[in-house]
Amino acid sequence: FTAQGTYMFRNVNTQDIEGPLNAEFVAERLGAKNVAVIYRQDDWGMTASQAFVRGAEELGINIAVNQAVIEGTRDFRPLITRLRSMSLDAIYIALFYADAAVFAQQAKQAGLNVPMVTNSSLSNPQFITLGGDAVEGVYVPTNFFPGVPDPVVQTFMSEYRARGNDEPDQFAAIAY
């Protein structure tokens, strides 16, 4: 979208920026060498997957699986069984929160104990609400963290709550 004209802009990172940064995290912080990528089968998901894979391959990470899933998938068990049979160091999830929560729950039930890393699309309270304890420990980058003591952040939090809203997500903060 932003490449369409001089006066076009956005206030969040594109997947072309975020994907390689997430790959860098996976390589440097987790030491991962063998990674699976699970992504939404749509334009956004393909872009997220391609950007992560490009960054990962530049860092010497092997992409063992690069699997698209249809939005609304509720049975990830065949895919999880396949992933369990591999020697994975991490799983990169480019899904939205409803699907990612189901994936995490089923992975936990199946005993798939591999670190999971997402993109900022999952920086949403609904991911935690829907995923419960299955999403504990999932690495989720964010553009906003409500616990930052910065006065600008705390003013926003106070004003948001004063309007009777639940906890804000990154998109509410960016709009503010």
Side-chain angles (χ1 to χ4, degrees), residues 15 42 100 124 139:
Q15 290 306 306
D42 62 12
N124 185 300
Y139 295 96

Side-chain angles (χ1 to χ4, degrees), residues 84-157:
R84 280 189 61 208
S85 71
M86 307 174 97
S87 296
L88 296 173
D89 300 316
I91 300 171
Y92 180 68
I93 304 170
L95 301 171
F96 291 162
Y97 60 79
D99 295 336
V102 172
F103 179 85
Q105 289 169 336
Q106 292 176 3
K108 181 176 180 169
Q109 290 167 355
L112 180 61
N113 297 316
V114 176
M116 293 185 206
V117 179
T118 72
N119 52 35
S120 61
S121 68
L122 293 182
S123 179
N124 185 300
Q126 285 299 310
F127 179 54
I128 296 169
T129 299
L130 295 173
D133 66 346
V135 300
E136 181 70 34
V138 173
Y139 295 96
V140 183
T142 187
N143 297 301
F144 169 72
F145 180 66
V148 173
D150 184 293
V152 172
V153 172
Q154 294 310 309
T155 297
F156 163 67
M157 294 294 293

